[in-house]
Amino acid sequence: YIKVHVVISEEGKMPKTRGRAIEELTRHNGLQILSIWLLEYGLQTTLREVSLIFANVSQGNPRLSHLDLEDPIQRSLQLLGSDDYHVTFNLIVFLRNVCRISTVYKSHSIDLSVCAELLDVIDKWATASALAEPAKSRHYVNTISITAETLCLLTSTENDPHHVYLKAIESLLKAKDNVIQILMRITTFYFANERVRTIVDKKQKVIASEQSFLQLPSQEQIFELKTK
C-alpha cells in the first residue's frame, strides 16, 4: 500500500498522492518502523519493496534531518551483502540520500564502517558482472556506479566539518588492504564489452579494448567512461 503511494514507477510515473504520503510517512517516522521489516521479515519481495520505499522517501527529503534514523541506517548496512542487486541498489541510494541530507547521518554511517562495506559491494558486483549475461550485467554495473558515487560523497569535504572528513579517510585506511586492489580492478574493468574481459594476454587485451571501445555506440562509450 505504501509503495503504491510513494514510489515512482520505472516509466517515471509519479503517484498523485506521493508528496502527501511521504510527508505523513516522515511525520510518523515510518522509515524507523519499516526498518524492523528489513531484518525481521526476510521475504525477498518484502525486502525489495521496503528498500524501494527507503530510496524514494529519502530522495530530497530535508524533513528527515530532524528524525532518528540510526536503526534504518544500521539495518541497511547489514543488508548490503544481499545477493539481490535490487535490494542492494535501493539501500545504497537510501544511504547516499540521507548522507546528503545530514552530516550527522554521514558521521554515523562512517562510524558503522560504511566505506569498507561499500568497497565490498563494488568488489562483489564487479565479479558478478564479469560472469553475468549482458542484461543482468547492466544492473550490476548500475549498483557499482551508485556505490562509487556514495563513496565520493562520504569522502567529500564540501559543507562538512573537518573531523567528519578525517573520519571517512580513516575508515578507508582501515580497509587499505582491500582498497587499492579493488579500485584498481574497477578502473581496468571492461563494463560495456563482455568479450574483452575474457582475453588473458594483457597486451592483446589492451589492443582489443581500444578497438572495441571505438566500435561501441556513443551511449555505450559514455556508460563505460562514466562508470570508471
Side-chain angles (χ1 to χ4, degrees):
Y1 174 81
I2 295 173
K3 187 183 79 169
V4 169
H5 288 281
V6 303
V7 173
I8 299 173
S9 71
E10 292 182 3
E11 295 77 26
K13 292 182 179 179
M14 187 180 298
K16 293 180 180 179
T17 55
R18 187 171 188 268
R20 179 64 184 274
I22 288 177
E23 185 179 335
E24 287 296 316
L25 199 63
T26 303
R27 182 184 303 167
H28 297 287
N29 205 356
L31 295 185
Q32 179 84 354
I33 298 168
L34 286 172
S35 68
I36 298 171
W37 289 63
L38 282 176
L39 291 181
E40 299 297 328
Y41 303 92
L43 294 174
Q44 205 63 28
T45 52
T46 303
L47 291 177
R48 280 193 182 188
E49 292 192 356
V50 172
S51 66
L52 191 57
I53 292 168
F54 270 41
N56 276 264
V57 172
S58 60
Q59 183 72 42
N61 186 355
R63 292 184 293 270
L64 290 177
S65 62
H66 305 296
L67 302 179
D68 178 6
L69 293 182
E70 287 192 8
D71 282 348
I73 290 172
Q74 184 169 3
R75 289 173 187 267
S76 295
L77 285 169
Q78 288 174 301
L79 285 169
L80 288 188
S82 170
D83 290 332
D84 187 326
Y85 58 81
H86 293 288
V87 173
T88 302
F89 180 86
N90 289 329
L91 292 179
I92 292 174
V93 169
F94 164 71
L95 290 169
R96 180 202 62 183
N97 291 344
V98 296
C99 287
R100 274 181 178 166
I101 291 168
S102 169
T103 301
V104 173
Y105 297 153
K106 182 187 283 193
S107 181
H108 180 62
S109 299
I110 293 169
D111 285 339
L112 294 172
S113 302
V114 64
C115 294
E117 293 289 344
L118 291 175
L119 284 167
D120 286 341
V121 168
I122 289 177
D123 193 31
K124 173 179 179 175
W125 292 108
T127 302
S129 179
L131 304 173
E133 300 171 359
K136 279 192 174 181
S137 180
R138 177 54 59 90
H139 289 295
Y140 297 167
V141 171
N142 286 340
T143 301
I144 293 169
S145 186
I146 192 69
T147 306
E149 182 185 333
T150 306
L151 271 172
C152 287
L153 172 68
L154 286 162
T155 54
S156 167
T157 57
E158 187 178 357
N159 301 323
D160 280 347
H162 192 57
H163 74 275
V164 176
Y165 168 70
L166 291 178
K167 191 184 290 186
I169 298 302
E170 183 182 354
S171 177
L172 281 175
L173 288 174
K174 285 181 180 177
K176 64 182 182 297
D177 292 339
N178 297 324
V179 172
I180 295 177
Q181 180 183 355
I182 291 172
L183 295 183
M184 284 300 292
R185 280 188 59 210
I186 296 306
T187 55
T188 57
F189 195 78
Y190 302 96
F191 291 101
N193 196 312
E194 287 79 16
R195 186 183 66 81
V196 177
R197 302 179 200 165
T198 61
I199 300 174
V200 178
D201 185 272
K202 290 184 178 180
K203 189 176 288 186
Q204 292 298 321
K205 193 172 215 174
V206 171
I207 295 171
S209 172
E210 291 175 352
Q211 292 174 344
S212 62
F213 181 78
L214 294 174
Q215 293 171 4
L216 287 173
S218 58
Q219 199 169 12
E220 291 294 322
Q221 289 184 9
I222 292 170
F223 181 77
E224 183 90 13
L225 293 172
K226 181 182 176 183
T227 305
K228 287 185 179 180

